[in-house]
Amino acid sequence: MNGEPHVVDAAPDTPLLFVLRTVASLWRQEQQKHNVEEIARRGAELYNKLAGFVADFTEMGKRLEQAQTSYSGALAKLHTGAGNVIRQAEMLKTLGVKPTKQIPQGLIELAQQETLELEDQPELP
């Protein structure tokens, strides 16, 4: 062996096949080392990307829950309680207001049902 790494001296009495096999083995080891380093680098990148994705996904879930809560609150204002918006709008129609658009019948029925349920509850002393 020479003083430099991966350099083999080929003496006249050394079989050439042995030298070639040794060189091939050294190259293979060097390539495997490079592959291990690349796998470690890519593994770290993948893990970091996954951690970022999980954080974003968790935040998105929280925001969706907030949006659902806001949606439910707004919908309740439309059709829940004696002073709900849909009921008030329908009462205006009975007073002669002539709208050009219609509220979906399902929401009107839901608002009326909510109002009737409230009226059926006994008053507290």
Side-chain angles (χ1 to χ4, degrees), residues 27-90:
W27 282 347
R28 203 170 30 252
Q29 288 176 0
E30 185 64 28
Q31 184 62 42
Q32 287 174 346
K33 177 185 169 198
H34 174 74
N35 288 350
V36 166
E37 291 169 354
E38 183 67 12
I39 288 168
R41 185 187 65 77
R42 288 186 184 192
E45 286 180 10
L46 175 64
Y47 190 94
N48 291 338
K49 285 283 188 183
L50 180 60
F53 174 80
V54 168
D56 290 347
F57 200 72
T58 301
E59 183 64 26
M60 184 174 59
K62 290 176 185 175
R63 298 288 172 97
L64 285 171
E65 287 174 3
Q66 290 172 345
Q68 180 63 45
T69 299
S70 295
Y71 170 79
S72 296
L75 187 60
K77 288 178 183 84
L78 277 176
H79 69 76
T80 304
N84 71 63
V85 177
I86 293 176
R87 181 173 181 267
Q88 296 295 323
E90 289 299 308

